[in-house]
């Protein structure tokens, strides 16, 4: 009987040590993920949709590079680097912007920069953005 108790005790001690090792390995992995996130953010640079604006409904004018798309925003008009032009539906006093589709729907985005990217995709491919960051409703 003493042999079984000794064996169980050894197994429990080994199991406890392995649990402690696992805890510190997971803790180290969280630090690795944090440093990886910070590295990626510094590599990609600041996202344009974090730029300040004088009004929540008016985008910052100028040339913007975001997700491989270069475009110029002037009020609600958007001109892309390949010459494509489009307009966003803006709401005075609100940050939301809409993309009006050919079938009479509005794709409402909460950020003018997401809306600009979605507008480019809709103009060039006639497809809605796959990210799902919009509300689809009947255009008014």
């Amino acid at each position: 009987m003493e042999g079984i108790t000794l064996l169980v005790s050894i197994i429990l001690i080994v199991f406890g040590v392995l649990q402690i090792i696992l805890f510190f390995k997971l803790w180290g992995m969280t630090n690795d993920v944090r440093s990886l996130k910070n590295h990626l953010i510094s590599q990609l640079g600041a996202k344009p949709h974090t730029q300040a604006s004088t009004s929540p409904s008016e985008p910052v004018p100028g040339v913007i590079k975001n997700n491989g798309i270069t475009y110029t925003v002037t009020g609600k008009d958007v001109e892309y680097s390949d010459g494509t032009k489009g307009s966003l539906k803006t709401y005075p006093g609100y940050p939301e912007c809409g993309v009006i589709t050919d079938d009479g729907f509005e794709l409402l985005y909460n950020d003018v920069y997401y809306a600009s990217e979605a507008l480019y995709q809709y103009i060039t491919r006639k497809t809605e953005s796959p990210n799902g960051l919009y509300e689809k409703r009947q255009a008014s």
Side-chain angles (χ1 to χ4, degrees):
M1 198 70 176
E2 290 177 18
I4 293 176
T5 306
L6 180 64
L7 179 66
V8 169
S9 298
I10 291 173
I11 290 173
L12 286 176
I13 290 171
V14 169
F15 183 74
V17 169
L18 289 175
Q19 289 292 318
I20 292 170
I21 291 170
L22 178 63
F23 171 76
F24 284 107
K25 286 232 178 241
L26 288 174
W27 191 352
M29 285 181 5
T30 59
N31 290 336
D32 292 344
V33 169
R34 182 180 300 124
S35 65
L36 181 62
K37 179 188 86 165
N38 292 337
H39 174 73
L40 288 175
I41 288 173
S42 68
Q43 290 291 323
L44 296 175
K47 293 185 178 181
H49 67 272
T50 61
Q51 295 177 5
S53 177
T54 56
S55 167
S57 65
E58 294 178 14
V60 177
V63 177
I64 299 165
K65 294 180 181 178
N66 197 14
N67 290 338
I69 302 171
T70 303
Y71 50 94
T72 305
V73 178
T74 311
K76 66 178 186 172
D77 296 322
V78 183
E79 183 175 350
Y80 300 93
S81 59
D82 63 356
T84 306
K85 294 181 181 181
S87 293
L88 296 172
K89 182 175 182 183
T90 58
Y91 297 92
Y94 295 96
E96 289 85 8
C97 290
V99 174
I100 307 297
T101 63
D102 294 338
D103 55 355
F105 285 97
E106 178 181 9
L107 309 178
L108 185 65
Y109 289 84
N110 65 350
D111 190 306
V112 69
Y113 300 102
Y114 293 136
S116 298
E117 293 174 25
L119 176 64
Y120 182 75
Q121 181 171 346
Y122 188 77
I123 291 171
T124 57
R125 300 184 199 143
K126 293 294 183 197
T127 59
E128 296 175 15
S129 177
N131 64 16
L133 298 174
Y134 59 89
E135 176 186 337
K136 186 174 184 178
R137 62 184 187 186
Q138 283 293 131
S140 53

